[in-house]
C-alpha cells in the first residue's frame, strides 16, 4: 500500500507539473541516490498497464544508466516489457537490455523469443532492430540463434536489414571467435551485395573478422571502387583503408623506376595544380623514354588506375576522415608525380577543429620527410599563430623544419625569429630545437643560426638560454674546430649569464674543447674557482669537470687551480659534489693505490663523444599506414594490419574479373591493353547496380552530352592521353556491351539518333544557360580569355565532343524556332520533371524522355526506323542485360475497313513515342492506305466528340494520297487516363466517316525508370486498395524471362525495373527459390502521372503471382486483366 | 570501433557514459585526467592517449570533453570526426551543447547515441534521418507527450536511409517555400610588425537554410567560380557537374546545412580590410609601458567595418593598463592579462584609438616579448574575395520558392604581430 501511494504521488506530481521529465530529472539532484525504495516504485510503474507510466519509468532508468548508476536490480521488471507495444518504451528497454544482459544472462534469455518473432516481422525496421538487439546481447548461449538470424538477414530483401546483418557479424565474432568460418561465408555473400548501403558495413565486418582473407575482395574489387563515391562517409573510410592494403598486395609499385625519374618527379611538384595534367603527360612520356632505355616498362594495372581515379573526388569530402583516407591511399599507392594532389586537401583540413589539425599535422609531418616538394607551395599555411594550442604549434614547427631547404630557409628563419619572442616558453624551446635542426640540415645557414642562437644566450628566460646552449652544444659538437671563436664568445658570456643550466653547458663546452681555446680555458677555471662557493650545484659539478679535463690537458697551468677546486668541493654541503670531487681526485691525481685507473683518465674524460644526431621524430614513421592510430602513436596498436610491401611481380590480375560474358575473353593483360573495354564498361556499370544510383550520376544525365566526357576528365589524372582517344572508342564500346545481343547492322543506324537525342536533351538546359550567358556576356568573354587555357587543358578531351553536340543543339534549336511551333509550356516543365526521374539512369542517351524527335515533321519516318528508335529508347537492357526490349511489332487496330471506307483503309497503332507537342497526350500513329483506284485528297479530321477533359491534337491534313499509296500521320489524344473512346469524323474530299479510337489500358501510360529500391519504396506506399493481386498459371510458352517481359511490355507501355539481384522479391511474397525470378515494371499514367507498378513473381511450375499497384484503381483492375490475358494465352 | 563514450565536464566529472560493446569501467578515464593535469591548458590535452588496454580519443567542445574509448586500430580522424558530428547533432537538437542541456535531455541523448552507432560503427549520422527517427524535443512536444503518452521516437524507418538521397527526408511540406544562402568568408591573415602581409587566405563557406516542399533539385551558379581554389562539398552536391561546369547542382537536405566550404588562397586576391598602427613599448628600468593602437579601414570597397573587437594577450609582467579609448570600451583582466577592446563600427573620419600606459611589476625587467593583436570584424553584404552567386534555379517542383542570398565577411584568425 505504501508503495502504491508513493506511486500515486508520483503520478499526481507529474501531471500537475506538466513536465515530469524535468521534475524528476537526474540532473536536478539526488533523486536516485541509491534509494532502493525508489526502485520499488519504478518496478511498480513498469508493472502497470499504462504505457505512459512505463515510459516514464524507463526514462528514469535510462537516465540512471547514463549516469553510470547501477540499475541491474531492475532487470526482471524491465525485461517483462520487451514486448511492449509502445515503440519508445521498447527502444528504451532495448537500451537497458543491451547494457545489462551480459550480467544477467539467464533472465536475458526470456527476451529472446520476442526478438525471434521480431525477425519475422513484415516491417523491415522491426526486423532490423530485432537483429540489432539480439546481436548486441552478449550472452554466449544464444550464439547459434544469432548465427541463424544473421544468415537469414543476410539474404533479406531489405538492404537495411542486410546492413544490420553486416553490423552483427563482428558482434558475434567477438562473442564467439569459433564461428569465424561460418561468418566468413556470410561476409562473402554480403560482399557481393550491390547496394551502397551494405558495402561500408560489410567491409567493416571483413576488417574485423578476416582481414587476411584478401582473396574475398578480388571479385568485388571493381564494384567497390565504383560504388565508393556513393557509400556513406564512414563506410568510405573503411573501404579506402582496406583497398589500400589490397592494392599493396596486388599491384606493382608505380615508383619502381623512381631513381630514374627523380628529377622529373620532383619538378612536377612545384607546378601549380592546373598544370598537373600536362605534367603528368610529360612525365608519362618521360617515363616511357626512360624505361624504354632501361628495363621493361612499368604499366599500371588498369585496376590500380581505377582505384586512384575513383578515390580522387573524395578529397573534396567534408569529412576529414575521408580526406585523410584518400590522402594516405595516394601516399602509399600513387605514382610519385600524382601524390601532389592530396596536399591541397590536407592543408584545407588545417582549418578544422584543433583535434583534426593535430592528427593531420602528424601525418603531414611524416609525409614531408618523404615528399617534401608536395607541401612546399603551402609553406605559409603552416605558419604559427599565437592563438594555436601548444601541441599544434610544435607540430607546425616540425612541418616547417621538414620543409626547410636552401631556397626557403631565410623566410623560415625569419618566422622562427618571431616565434622565439613568443610567450609560450615550451614553444620557444621547440623553436630553438628547430633552428638547430635547420642548421644541421642546411650547411649554408649553420653560421647564421649559430650566431642567432648565441644571441639568445643573453635571453632572460632560463628555458630559452638552456635550450639554446644545448642546441649550440650539439651544433658545435659537429665541427668544433671551426667554431673556436664561438666557444670563446661563450666563455666571455659566462660573466653575464646567470642561468645555471646555461653556465653549466658553457663550462662543459669549454672543458670538452679546451684544446681549441687553450688560452681562455684556464682563465675561465680561475674565475670559476673564485666564485665556486656561490654557484649552483649543477654549475659546481661542471666546474669540477672542467678542472679535471684541464688538469689532464694542461696540468702545468691548472694543477693548483684544480686542487683548489677539488678542495672546495670536498667540503661542499652537497654530497653529490663531495662524491664527485673524491671520485675525480682518485682518477686524475696519480697516487699509489689508484695507479691503474689514472692511466686511463685521459681516455675516460677526453673520449671523443659522438655528435648528437638531430633528426625528426617523424622519420621512418611511414612504415605505419598513414592516418592510422598506430602511426599517430608510433607504436603498433592492437588489431593493426601491416601495410604489405609491394610484390615483386604482380599476381594474376584476372582474379578480379567478374563473370560477365564478353568480358572474360579479354582478361589477359595484353588484350586488355589493346582493347580498353573494361574501363568504360566499369565506369558506367554503376547503372548495373540499380539502387546505388547516386546524385552524381544524376548530374550526368542532367548535363547531357558533356558529362559523358566530362566525367572521364574528372578522374583521369595522367590519363588524359588515354581518355582522349578513349572517349570515342569508349562510347562505341559501351554500346557494344549494352547492345551486345543486338545486331551490329543496327548499330550504324542507331548511333545517329542517339547522338541527336543526346544533344536534344541538353539543349533545353543549354538554352537556359545560354540565356544568362548572353546576359553576362561581356564579363564572361573577358574571363574566358583569361581562363581559357586552363579550361582547355582541363577539358581537352571533352571539348571536341561537346562542341559538336553543342552546335548540333544549336542547329536543332534554330530548327525548332523555324518551325515556330512553340512547344507549349507544360512540355517544358514536365520534361524537366521527367528528366529528374529518369536521370537516375547513367546513360542519358537512352532515356525515353520526351524529345521532339517524333514531331509531325518526322512522321514520314519509315516505320522500321521508328521501331528501331523505339527499341533504343526502351532498351533499359543496358542496365540489366537480361531485360528485353518490347517486341518491335506494334499491335495495330483497324480504324476504317477498306470496304466501309470505300477503298480507303485506315489503321492506327500506339507508337509509344512521347507526343512532343503535349506530353500529356498519347501518340497515335495512323496509317492510311489508299486501296481505291482514284486519289484521295484532303484527308483531315472533323467534329471531334470527346468526353469531358479529353483533348485531341489533330494530325496535319494530308493533301494528297495517290492510289495504291500508303502514308502515316501522328495525332495526339489526351485520354484523361480513361479508356473512353475518342470519336471523330475522318474526312476526305468526298466523304466523311465516323470513327473512334479506344485505347487499351496499357497504352495510357508511359514507361519510367525506377531502381529496384525506389520501386519497392513506391510499392510500399501503394498498398491496400491500390494493390491488386492475382494468381495465375503461366502459359506454357511463356515461362522464360524473355517472354514474360516481352508479353508484359507488349500489353502495357511499361519499362522493366532492373533488379539488383533477381533473388529478391516483393514484401508479401515469401522469398522464392532463386531460379524463380521476379519481374518488375514501372510506368506512369500519361495524364495524371500516377505511378503504375507491376510485379510478376514466378513460382514453381508456371505458377505466378501478378501484382499491380496503382493509385487509379480502375486502371489497375483493367491492367491486371490485360496482363493476365497476355500471360496466360 | 568506438567502445564507449564518456562525457567529462570542465570540473572533471563524468556526467554521462554510454557503452556500445561490453562495459568499460569508467576508471579508464583516470588516464585522461592524468593527461589533463599535465597539460596546462585544456586545449593542450593530447587528442589521443594510449593506456595499457585501451586508447582514449577525445575532443573538446563547449568545455565538455567527449572521450571515446577505443580498443583496437582505427583511424583517429574517424573517431574525432564522428565525435564532432555527435556534438553538432546535439547542438542541432537542443540549440546548445552544454552540460545542462545534455542532462536535461538525457533520454534523447541516449536514444541519439544508440542510433548513431551500432556496435561502435556509425549507423545514422545525417541529421535529416535522425530527426525522423527521434523527434527533437520542443516544449510543445514535451507537453503533448506528457498528456497523451506519445513518444519522441518515429515509427517508420526513415525513407532517406534507403533512398538515393539519404540526406533528405521525404514528405517535406512548407507553406512558405524559402531557400536562403549565406556566403560567409573569413580572412585568415598574419600581418607583421611593419604592416605587410605575411600570409593571408580566405576561407569561405556557404551555409544554407532550405525549407522547400517535396524533392527540389537546385542549381547554384557563380559569376566567378574560378576564384574557388579548393572546395569541399556536402555529400548532396554532384561532384561531376561541378568538375565539368562549375555549377553546384544538388537536392538539398531539409533545414540548415553547410553546402560547401572553399578556400581562396592566392594572396593578391585577399584584401585586408583594416590596418593597425601600433606602438607598444616597454622601457628598460621604468615600470611603465606605452600602449598606443589606432585602427583604420583599408580595402573595404566602401562597406562599413562593424563589430570590431581587438584583443591582445599582454606580457605577464604587466600589472595593469590605464588606457583611453576614443570609442568603445576596453577591459583588462589582470589575472589572464587579456586586454580586449570592443570597438564597434569604424568611422573612417574619426579613427578609433586606444592610448595610455601600462604599469609593470616594479623592479621586473622589461618583457622581451611583444603581444600579438587579434582582430575580429564583420563586413556585411560583401564577400571579400568578390565571389558572387549568379543564379539559383529550382527543378523538380512546380512552386516558386523565395530565394535569398546574403554575403558577409569576417575576420577569421586575423593576427597582427607587434
Amino acid at each position: 500500500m505504501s508503495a502504491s501511494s508513493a506511486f500515486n504521488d508520483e503520478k499526481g506530481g507529474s501531471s500537475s507539473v506538466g513536465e515530469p521529465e524535468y521534475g524528476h530529472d537526474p540532473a536536478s539532484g539526488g533523486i536516485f541516490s541509491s534509494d532502493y525504495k525508489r526502485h520499488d516504485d519504478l518496478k511498480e510503474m513498469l508493472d502497470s498497464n499504462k504505457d505512459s507510466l512505463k515510459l516514464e519509468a524507463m526514462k528514469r532508468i535510462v537516465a540512471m544508466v547514463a549516469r553510470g548508476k547501477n540499475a541491474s536490480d531492475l532487470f526482471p521488471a524491465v525485461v517483462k516489457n520487451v514486448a511492449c507495444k509502445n515503440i519508445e518504451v521498447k527502444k528504451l528497454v532495448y537500451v537497458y537490455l543491451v547494457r545489462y544482459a551480459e550480467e544477467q544472462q539467464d533472465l536475458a534469455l526470456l527476451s529472446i523469443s520476442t526478438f525471434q518473432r521480431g525477425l519475422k516481422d513484415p516491417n523491415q525496421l522491426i526486423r532490423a532492430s530485432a537483429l540489432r538487439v539480439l546481436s548486441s546481447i552478449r550472452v554466449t548461449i544464444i550464439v547459434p540463434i544469432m548465427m541463424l538470424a544473421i544468415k537469414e538477414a543476410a539474404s533479406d530483401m531489405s538492404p537495411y536489414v542486410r546492413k544490420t546483418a553486416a553490423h552483427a557479424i563482428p558482434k558475434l565474432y567477438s562473442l564467439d571467435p569459433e564461428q569465424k568460418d561460418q561468418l566468413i561465408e556470410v561476409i562473402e555473400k554480403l560482399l557481393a551485395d550491390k547496394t551502397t548501403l551494405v558495402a561500408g558495413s560489410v567491409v567493416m565486418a571483413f576488417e574485423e573478422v578476416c582481414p587476411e582473407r584478401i582473396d574475398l575482395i578480388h571479385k568485388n574489387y571493381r564494384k567497390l571502387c565504383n560504388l565508393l563515391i556513393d557509400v556513406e562517409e564512414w563506410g568510405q573510410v573503411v573501404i579506402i583503408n582496406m583497398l589500400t592494403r589490397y592494392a599493396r598486395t596486388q599491384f606493382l609499385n608505380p615508383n619502381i623506376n623512381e631513381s630514374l625519374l627523380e628529377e622529373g618527379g620532383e619538378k612536377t611538384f612545384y607546378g601549380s595544380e592546373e598544370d598537373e595534367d600536362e605534367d603528368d603527360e610529360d612525365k608519362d612520356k618521360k617515363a616511357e623514354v626512360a624505361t624504354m632505355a632501361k628495363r621493361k616498362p612499368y604499366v599500371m594495372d588498369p585496376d590500380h588506375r581505377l582505384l586512384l581515379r575513383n578515390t580522387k573526388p573524395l578529397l573534396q569530402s567534408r569529412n576529414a576522415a575521408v580526406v585523410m583516407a584518400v590522402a594516405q591511399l595516394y601516399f602509399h599507392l600513387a605514382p610519385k608525380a600524382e601524390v601532389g594532389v592530396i596536399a591541397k586537401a590536407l592543408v584545407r583540413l588545417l582549418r578544422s577543429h584543433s583535434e583534426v589539425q593535430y592528427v593531420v599535422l602528424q601525418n603531414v609531418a611524416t609525409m614531408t620527410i618523404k615528399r617534401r616538394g608536395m607541401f612546399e607551395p603551402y609553406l605559409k599555411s603552416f605558419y604559427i599563430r599565437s592563438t594555436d594550442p601548444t601541441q599544434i604549434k610544435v607540430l607546425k614547427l616540425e612541418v616547417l623544419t621538414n620543409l626547410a631547404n636552401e631556397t626557403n630557409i631565410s623566410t623560415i628563419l625569419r618566422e622562427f625569429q618571431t616565434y622565439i619572442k613568443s610567450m609560450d616558453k615550451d614553444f620557444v624551446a621547440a623553436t630553438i630545437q628547430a633552428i638547430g635542426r635547420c642548421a644541421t640540415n642546411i650547411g649554408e645557414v649553420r653560421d647564421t643560426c649559430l650566431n642567432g642562437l648565441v644571441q639568445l644566450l643573453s635571453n632572460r628566460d632560463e628555458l630559452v638560454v638552456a635550450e639554446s646552449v644545448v642546441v649550440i652544444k650539439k651544433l658545435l659538437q659537429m665541427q668544433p674546430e671551426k667554431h673556436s671563436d664561438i666557444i670563446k664568445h661563450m666563455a666571455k658570456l659566462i660573466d653575464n649569464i646567470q642561468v645555471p643550466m646555461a653556465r653549466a653547458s658553457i663550462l662543459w663546452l669549454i672543458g670538452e674543447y679546451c684544446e681549441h681555446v687553450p688560452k681562455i680555458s684556464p682563465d675561465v677555471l680561475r674565475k670559476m674557482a673564485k666564485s665556486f662557493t656561490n654557484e649552483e650545484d649543477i654549475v659546481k659539478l661542471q666546474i669540477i669537470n672542467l678542472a679535471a679535463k684541464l688538469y689532464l690537458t694542461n696540468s702545468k697551468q691548472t694543477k693548483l687551480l684544480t686542487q683548489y677546486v677539488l678542495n672546495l668541493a670536498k667540503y661542499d654541503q652537497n654530497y653529490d659534489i663531495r662524491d664527485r670531487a673524491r671520485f675525480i681526485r682518485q682518477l686524475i691525481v696519480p697516487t699509489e693505490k689508484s695507479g691503474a685507473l689514472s692511466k686511463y683518465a685521459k681516455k675516460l674524460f677526453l673520449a671523443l663523444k659522438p655528435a648528437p644526431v638531430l633528426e625528426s621524430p617523424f622519420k621512418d614513421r611511414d612504415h605505419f599506414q598513414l592516418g592510422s592510430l598506430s602511426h599517430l602513436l608510433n607504436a603498433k596498436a592492437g588489431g593493426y594490419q601491416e601495410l604489405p610491401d609491394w610484390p615483386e611481380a604482380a599476381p594474376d590480375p584476372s582474379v578480379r574479373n567478374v563473370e560477365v560474358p564478353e568480358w572474360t575473353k579479354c582478361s589477359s593483360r595484353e588484350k586488355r591493353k589493346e582493347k580498353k573495354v573494361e574501363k568504360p564498361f566499369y565506369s558506367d556499370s554503376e547503372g548495373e547496380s540499380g539502387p546505388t544510383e547516386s546524385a552524381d550520376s544524376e548530374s550526368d544525365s542532367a548535363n547531357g552530352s558533356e558529362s559523358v566526357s566530362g566525367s572521364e576528365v574528372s578522374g583521369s589524372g595522367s590519363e588524359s592521353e588515354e581518355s582522349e582517344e578513349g572517349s570515342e572508342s569508349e562510347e562505341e564500346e559501351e554500346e557494344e556491351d549494352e547492345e551486345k545481343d543486338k545486331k551490329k547492322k543496327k548499330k550504324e543506324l542507331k548511333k545517329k539518333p542517339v547522338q541527336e537525342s543526346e544533344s536534344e536533351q541538353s539543349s533545353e538546359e543549354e538554352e537556359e544557360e545560354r540565356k544568362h550567358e548572353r546576359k553576362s556576356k561581356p564579363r564572361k568573354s573577358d574571363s574566358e580569355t583569361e581562363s581559357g587555357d586552363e579550361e582547355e587543358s582541363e577539358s581537352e578531351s571533352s571539348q571536341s565532343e561537346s562542341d559538336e553536340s553543342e552546335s548540333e543543339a544549336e542547329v536543332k534549336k534554330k530548327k525548332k524556332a523555324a518551325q515556330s511551333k512553340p512547344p507549349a509550356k507544360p512540355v517544358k516543365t514536365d520534361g524537366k520533371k521527367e528528366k529528374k526521374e529518369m536521370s537516375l539512369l547513367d546513360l542519358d542517351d537512352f532515356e525515353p524522355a520526351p524529345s521532339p524527335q517524333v514531331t509531325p515533321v518526322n512522321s514520314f519516318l519509315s516505320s522500321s526506323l521508328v521501331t528501331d528508335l523505339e527499341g533504343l529508347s526502351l532498351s533499359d537492357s543496358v542496365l540489366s542485360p537480361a531485360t528485353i526490349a518490347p517486341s518491335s511489332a506494334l499491335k495495330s487496330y483497324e480504324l476504317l475497313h477498306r470496304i466501309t471506307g470505300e477503298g480507303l483503309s485506315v489503321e492506327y497503332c500506339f507508337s509509344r513515342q512521347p507526343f512532343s507537342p503535349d506530353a500529356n497526350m498519347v501518340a497515335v500513329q495512323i496509317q492510311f492506305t489508299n486501296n481505291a483506284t482514284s486519289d484521295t485528297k484532303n484527308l483531315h479530321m472533323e467534329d471531334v466528340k470527346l468526353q469531358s477533359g479529353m483533348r485531341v491534337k489533330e494530325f496535319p491534313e494530308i493533301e494528297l494520297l495517290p492510289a495504291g499509296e500508303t502514308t502515316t500521320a501522328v495525332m495526339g489524344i489526351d485520354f484523361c487516363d480513361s479508356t473512353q473512346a475518342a470519336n471523330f469524323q475522318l474526312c476526305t474530299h468526298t466523304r466523311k466517316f465516323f470513327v473512334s479510337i479506344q485505347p487499351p489500358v496499357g497504352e495510357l501510360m508511359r514507361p519510367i525508370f525506377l531502381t529496384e529500391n525506389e520501386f519497392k519504396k513506391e510499392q510500399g506506399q501503394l498498398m491496400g486498395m491500390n494493390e491488386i493481386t492475382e494468381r495465375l498459371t503461366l502459359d506454357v510458352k511463356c515461362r522464360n524471362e524473355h517472354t514474360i517481359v516481352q508479353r508484359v511490355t507488349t500489353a502495357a507501355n511499361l519499362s522493366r525495373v532492373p533488379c539488383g539481384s533477381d533473388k529478391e522479391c516483393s514484401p508479401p511474397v515469401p522469398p522464392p527459390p532463386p531460379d524463380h525470378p521476379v519481374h518488375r515494371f514501372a510506368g506512369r499514367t500519361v495524364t495524371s502521372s500516377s505511378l503504375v507498378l507491376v510485379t510478376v513473381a514466378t513460382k514453381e511450375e508456371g505458377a505466378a503471382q501478378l501484382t499491380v499497384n496503382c493509385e487509379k484503381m480502375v486502371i489497375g483492375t483493367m491492367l491486371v486483366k490485360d496482363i493476365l490475358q497476355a500471360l496466360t494465352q | 570501433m568506438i567502445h564507449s563514450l564518456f562525457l567529462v565536464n570542465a570540473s572533471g566529472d563524468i556526467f554521462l557514459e554510454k557503452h556500445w560493446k561490453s562495459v568499460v569501467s569508467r576508471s579508464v578515464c583516470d588516464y585522461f585526467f592524468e593527461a589533463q593535469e599535465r597539460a596546462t591548458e585544456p586545449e593542450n590535452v593530447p587528442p589521443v592517449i594510449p593506456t595499457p588496454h585501451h586508447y582514449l580519443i577525445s575532443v573538446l567542445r563547449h568545455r565538455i570533453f567527449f572521450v571515446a574509448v577505443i580498443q583496437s586500430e582505427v583511424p583517429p580522424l574517424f573517431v574525432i570526426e564522428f565525435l564532432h558530428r555527435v556534438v553538432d547533432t546535439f547542438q542541432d537538437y537542443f540549440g546548445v551543447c552544454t552540460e545542462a542541456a545534455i542532462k536535461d535531455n538525457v533520454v534523447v541523448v541516449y536514444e541519439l547515441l544508440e542510433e548513431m552507432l551500432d556496435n561502435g560503427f556509425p549507423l545514422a549520422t545525417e541529421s535529416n534521418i535522425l530527426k525522423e527517427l527521434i523527434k527533437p524535443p520542443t516544449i510543445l512536444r514535451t507537453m503533448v507527450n506528457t498528456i497523451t503518452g506519445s513518444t519522441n521516437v518515429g515509427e517508420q524507418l526513415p525513407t532517406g536511409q534507403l533512398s538515393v538521397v539519404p540526406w533528405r527526408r521525404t514528405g517535406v511540406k512548407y507553406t512558405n517555400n524559402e531557400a536562403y544562402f549565406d556566403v560567409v568568408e573569413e580572412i585568415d591573415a598574419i600581418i607583421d610588425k611593419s604592416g605587410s602581409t605575411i600570409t593571408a587566405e580566405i576561407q569561405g563557406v556557404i551555409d544554407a537554410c532550405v525549407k522547400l516542399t517535396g524533392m527540389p533539385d537546385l542549381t547554384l551558379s557563380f559569376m566567378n567560380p574560378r576564384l574557388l581554389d579548393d572546395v569541399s562539398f556536402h555529400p548532396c552536391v554532384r561532384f561531376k557537374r561541378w568538375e565539368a561546369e562549375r555549377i553546384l547542382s544538388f537536392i538539398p537536405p531539409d533545414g540548415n546545412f553547410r553546402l560547401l566550404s572553399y578556400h581562396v588562397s592566392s594572396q593578391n586576391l585577399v584584401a585586408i580590410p583594416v590596418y593597425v598602427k601600433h606602438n607598444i613599448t616597454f622601457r628598460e628600468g621604468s615600470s611603465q609601458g606605452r600602449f598606443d593602437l589606432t585602427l583604420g579601414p583599408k580595402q573595404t570597397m566602401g562597406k562599413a567595418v562593424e563589430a570590431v573587437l581587438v584583443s591582445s594577450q599582454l606580457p605577464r609582467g604587466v600589472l595593469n593598463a590605464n588606457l583611453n579609448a576614443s570609442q568603445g570600451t576596453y577591459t583588462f583582466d589582470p589575472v589572464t592579462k587579456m586586454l580586449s577592446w570592443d570597438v564597434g563600427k569604424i568611422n573612417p573620419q574619426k579613427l578609433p584609438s586606444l592610448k595610455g600606459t601600462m604599469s609593470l611589476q616594479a623592479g621586473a625587467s622589461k618583457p622581451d616579448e611583444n603581444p600579438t593583436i587579434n582582430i575580429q570584424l564583420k563586413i556585411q553584404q560583401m564577400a571579400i574575395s568578390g565571389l558572387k552567386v549568379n543564379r539559383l534555379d529550382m527543378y523538380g517542383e512546380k512552386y516558386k520558392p523565395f530565394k535569398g542570398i546574403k554575403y558577409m565577411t569576417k575576420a577569421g584568425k586575423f593576427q597582427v604581430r607587434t
Side-chain angles (χ1 to χ4, degrees), chain A residues 13 139 388 625 721 804 861 869 953 958 1020 1057:
Chain A
V139 177
D388 289 333
Q625 187 170 2
E721 235 183 323
E804 217 178 314
L861 275 175
L869 272 171
K953 174 87 191 160
I958 297 168
V1057 173

Side-chain angles (χ1 to χ4, degrees), chain A residues 91 132 172 252 255 264 281 409 425 458 479 486 642 888 895 900 971 1023:
Chain A
K91 279 205 165 175
R132 248 185 92 182
L172 180 54
L252 290 175
N255 299 319
E281 259 180 55
I409 185 68
K425 292 308 168 201
S458 48
Q479 27 179 209
I486 290 181
E642 291 282 353
S888 51
L895 191 63
T900 37
M971 65 182 287
M1023 301 294 259

Side-chain angles (χ1 to χ4, degrees), chain B residues 13 81 110 139 215 245 253 265 352 379 383 389 396 400:
Chain B
D13 296 326
E81 190 74 18
Y110 234 64
I139 292 183
M215 273 282 170
E245 303 169 61
S265 70
I379 304 171
V389 172
K400 255 209 133 28

Side-chain angles (χ1 to χ4, degrees), chain A residues 1024 1026-1031 1068-1069 1095 1105-1109 1120:
Chain A
N1026 294 325
E1027 184 177 81
I1028 302 153
T1029 309
E1030 200 72 48
R1031 293 186 180 278
V1069 190
T1095 317
Q1105 179 169 329
L1106 171 71
T1107 312
V1108 173
N1109 302 69
V1120 167

Side-chain angles (χ1 to χ4, degrees), chain A residues 43-105:
Chain A
K43 281 177 194 162
E44 190 94 16
M45 285 163 84
L46 286 168
D47 286 342
S48 86
N49 46 13
K50 278 194 184 157
D51 279 353
S52 58
L53 283 175
K54 286 182 178 176
L55 183 60
E56 177 59 27
M58 278 320 293
K59 280 186 173 173
R60 288 163 55 179
I61 293 168
V62 165
M64 284 167 68
V65 173
R67 295 181 70 211
K69 293 267 185 287
N70 188 5
S72 55
D73 55 325
L74 287 162
F75 200 94
V78 174
V79 82
K80 270 184 269 177
N81 288 298
V82 74
C84 178
K85 287 279 175 294
N86 181 312
I87 196 153
E88 189 166 18
V89 174
K90 207 176 198 166
K91 279 205 165 175
L92 295 178
V93 170
Y94 287 178
V95 168
Y96 180 89
L97 256 182
V98 171
R99 170 72 177 73
Y100 284 111
E102 207 173 359
E103 294 174 22
Q104 316 233 354
Q105 307 223 348

Side-chain angles (χ1 to χ4, degrees), chain B residues 44-339:
Chain B
N44 271 331
V45 179
V48 182
I49 302 167
T51 77
H53 301 291
H54 299 96
Y55 303 94
L56 306 178
I57 300 187
S58 62
V59 305
L60 173 66
R61 290 274 295 267
H62 310 285
R63 305 184 59 222
I64 300 173
F65 279 104
F66 293 73
V67 185
V69 183
I70 309 297
Q71 203 153 36
S72 61
E73 172 65 48
V74 59
L77 268 185
F78 184 97
V79 181
I80 290 171
E81 190 74 18
F82 177 80
L83 292 177
H84 281 299
R85 202 61 67 79
V86 170
V87 181
D88 293 340
T89 310
F90 288 171
Q91 233 171 338
D92 198 22
Y93 263 73
F94 315 127
V96 285
C97 179
T98 59
E99 188 185 345
I102 291 173
K103 279 180 168 175
D104 284 349
N105 297 292
V106 69
V107 173
V108 179
V109 165
Y110 234 64
E111 282 167 346
L112 279 173
L113 290 176
E114 187 72 29
E115 289 301 335
M116 290 180 86
L117 279 182
D118 180 17
N119 193 34
F121 191 79
L123 194 61
T125 49
E126 280 298 336
S127 98
N128 267 234
I129 290 180
L130 283 171
K131 282 191 173 157
E132 265 184 272
L133 283 168
I134 301 151
K135 308 272 182 332
T138 59
I139 292 183
L140 187 70
R141 182 167 295 125
T142 328
M143 295 218 322
V144 170
N145 289 352
T146 317
I147 295 160
T148 60
S150 60
T151 67
N152 280 335
V153 176
E155 311 245 341
Q156 283 291 312
L157 176 69
T159 40
Q161 187 89 313
L162 296 172
S163 80
V164 285
V165 277
W167 52 85
R168 187 174 177 87
R169 60 194 184 97
T170 44
V172 184
K173 278 216 172 72
Y174 288 103
T175 39
N176 294 325
N177 288 296
E178 313 161 308
Y180 297 105
F181 294 87
D182 289 358
V183 181
V184 182
E185 295 193 337
E186 295 195 351
I187 309 167
D188 286 356
I190 302 176
I191 312 287
D192 80 351
K193 227 175 188 159
S194 59
S196 56
T197 311
I198 292 180
T199 162
E201 48 194 27
I202 295 171
Q203 307 283 349
V205 294
I206 299 183
D207 283 331
C209 175
V210 177
K211 294 181 173 172
L212 297 175
T213 309
M215 273 282 170
D217 194 337
L218 304 179
T219 58
L220 186 75
S221 60
F222 298 104
M223 306 281 260
N224 37 13
R226 299 227 161 252
L227 269 179
L228 308 183
D229 177 41
D230 185 27
V231 280
S232 73
F233 301 115
H234 190 276
C236 69
V237 176
R238 289 166 187 134
F239 183 72
K240 284 180 183 164
R241 187 98 191 262
W242 169 259
E243 283 281 276
E245 303 169 61
R246 300 268 147 184
I247 285 176
L248 293 175
S249 157
F250 55 98
I251 295 174
D254 185 41
N256 294 311
F257 66 101
R258 175 155 296 174
L259 178 63
L260 135 123
S261 44
Y262 60 90
H263 181 103
V264 179
S265 70
S266 65
Q267 273 210 27
N268 39 13
L269 279 176
V270 182
I272 303 295
V274 288
Y275 69 86
V276 180
K277 271 199 286 188
H278 54 83
N279 181 16
I280 301 171
T281 51
F282 305 98
R283 251 171 301 141
E284 193 69 68
S286 100
S287 62
Q288 291 268 305
R290 274 186 58 76
F291 189 96
D292 192 339
L293 202 70
T294 310
L295 287 176
K298 211 170 163 186
Q299 296 154 289
T300 64
M301 300 160 201
K303 297 276 196 305
V305 183
E306 296 166 24
V308 181
L309 184 73
V310 177
S311 61
S312 176
Q313 171 86 52
L314 296 185
R316 266 181 222 115
V318 177
L319 281 184
N320 208 345
N322 185 13
L323 305 173
N324 204 348
S326 72
Q327 141 182 14
T329 51
Y330 82 94
T331 53
F332 177 72
D333 183 344
V335 181
T336 58
K337 314 289 179 200
M338 184 59 83
L339 174 77

Side-chain angles (χ1 to χ4, degrees), chain A residues 132 233 351 386 630 638, chain B residues 73 85 114 188 365 369 372:
Chain A
R132 248 185 92 182
E233 42 198 347
R351 269 285 295 189
S386 62
S630 304
Chain B
E73 172 65 48
R85 202 61 67 79
E114 187 72 29
D188 286 356
S365 47
E369 65 252 4
T372 40

